[in-house]
């Protein structure tokens, strides 16, 4: 087993490591260590600093870190990358913060709502948010049912209230992978966000906002391509 590679998987809103339950075994089959993190999302005392603490604690002394931040996890992942020897940071359908900007301010500052409504109008959908049609439209029925059976995870507003604390993006190689069918963060919106805030281009793959649930094998293949391009061996073991 090639334990020099550790995938650290940070979920989005709700903070549940279960989001990665279809991805984690596929990465382990390829010989990698995997840490899927549960965040204290339901704790009103916990902000992004506490989220980062949870990730750092879960990682422990592991090395060869590939950090993957999904959606809201894009606010936490760079805080972790500033504290641990991360070799690669992958943003997945992610929010990209600016120094001093709160998570709550991000929505208006980026124009997310207008972008999502434009996409909905083009697709002939209502612009009003609805969980199943916006998030689970491409997730297999049995997977969606398994997620819903766990109940709706709590998400405190605390992480959205405080300014993002870093002075700039950490000096870590960063890739941005975006589902081209994402209805919450449309691909053209994400393309602009990545260029304006990070100065990088996005890579696209099929799938909506929850690609770890809808297309885990293809997601793993994309992550592995990033790993190889970053200088690790093409084959584990």
């Amino acid at each position: 087993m090639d334990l020099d590679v550790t995938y650290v998987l940070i979920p989005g809103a709700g903070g549940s490591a279960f989001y990665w339950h279809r991805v984690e075994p596929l990465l382990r089959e390829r010989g990698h260590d995997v840490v899927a993190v549960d965040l204290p999302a339901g704790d009103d005392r916990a902000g992004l600093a506490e989220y980062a603490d949870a990730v750092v604690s879960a990682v422990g002394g592991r090395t060869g870190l590939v950090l993957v931040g999904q959606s809201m996890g894009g606010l936490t992942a760079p805080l972790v990358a500033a504290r641990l020897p991360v070799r690669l940071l992958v943003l997945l359908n992610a929010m990209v913060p600016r120094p001093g900007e709160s998570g709550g301010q991000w929505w208006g500052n980026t124009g997310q709502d207008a972008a999502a409504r434009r996409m909905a109008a083009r697709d002939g959908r209502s612009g009003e948010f609805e969980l199943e049609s916006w998030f689970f439209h491409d997730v297999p029925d049995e997977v969606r049912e398994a997620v819903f059976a766990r109940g709706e995870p709590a998400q405190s507003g605390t992480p959205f209230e405080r300014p993002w604390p870093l002075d700039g993006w950490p000096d870590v190689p960063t890739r941005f992978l975006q589902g081209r069918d994402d209805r919450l963060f449309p691909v053209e919106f994400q393309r602009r966000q990545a260029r304006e805030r990070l100065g990088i281009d996005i890579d696209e793959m099929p799938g909506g906002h929850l690609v770890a649930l809808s297309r885990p094998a293809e997601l793993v293949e994309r992550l592995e391509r990033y790993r190889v391009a970053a200088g690790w061996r093409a084959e584990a073991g």
Side-chain angles (χ1 to χ4, degrees):
M1 178 179 288
D2 186 356
L3 293 182
D4 188 47
V5 179
T6 302
Y7 280 94
V8 183
L9 308 177
I10 303 175
S16 175
F18 185 74
Y19 172 70
W20 303 104
H21 77 280
R22 303 188 75 198
V23 168
E24 185 173 0
L26 298 179
L27 289 171
R28 292 191 183 279
E29 286 174 7
R30 293 181 179 236
H32 307 312
D33 196 5
V34 183
V35 179
V37 185
D38 275 312
L39 300 176
D43 186 349
D44 286 334
R45 299 167 298 177
L48 294 178
E50 288 73 25
Y51 286 20
D53 288 344
V55 178
V56 170
S57 177
V59 170
R62 294 174 174 86
T63 59
L65 306 180
V66 180
L67 197 59
V68 185
Q70 150 74 15
S71 191
M72 182 186 168
L75 305 181
T76 301
L79 304 184
V80 176
R83 294 173 56 180
L84 295 179
V86 173
R87 293 181 62 175
L88 178 65
L89 171 56
V90 181
L91 298 171
L92 178 63
N93 293 346
M95 301 169 69
V96 180
R98 279 181 169 154
E101 177 184 69
S102 72
Q105 292 170 330
W106 177 91
W107 303 89
N109 289 350
T110 60
Q112 178 275 336
D113 182 67
R117 288 178 181 274
R118 284 194 298 270
M119 180 180 181
R122 288 197 307 269
D123 294 348
R125 294 182 287 106
S126 167
E128 297 303 314
F129 177 78
E130 196 281 319
L131 181 66
E132 288 198 46
S133 67
W134 282 55
F135 280 3
F136 289 89
H137 58 95
D138 65 333
V139 175
D141 290 345
E142 66 276 11
V143 178
R144 182 181 66 251
E145 290 167 4
V147 173
F148 285 5
R150 296 173 60 85
E152 184 175 358
Q155 177 57 63
S156 168
T158 301
F160 294 98
E161 297 169 356
R162 301 171 184 172
W164 194 68
L166 297 185
D167 293 331
W169 201 257
D171 185 19
V172 174
T174 301
R175 304 294 295 266
F176 199 124
L177 182 58
Q178 177 65 31
R180 66 173 63 99
D181 308 307
D182 189 340
R183 295 177 175 178
L184 184 68
F185 300 156
V187 66
E188 65 272 12
F189 164 79
Q190 293 289 69
R191 187 178 295 115
R192 174 172 54 82
Q193 184 185 193
R195 287 175 178 168
E196 292 180 355
R197 293 179 169 232
L198 295 175
I200 64 176
D201 292 324
I202 66 172
D203 299 313
E204 299 178 27
M205 65 172 284
H209 193 64
L210 305 179
V211 291
L213 295 176
S214 62
R215 294 177 176 267
E218 182 164 354
L219 174 56
V220 166
E221 182 60 35
R222 297 295 188 111
L223 295 176
E224 286 286 80
R225 290 181 199 172
Y226 289 155
R227 173 182 68 83
V228 173
W232 278 294
R233 292 190 296 277
E235 296 182 359

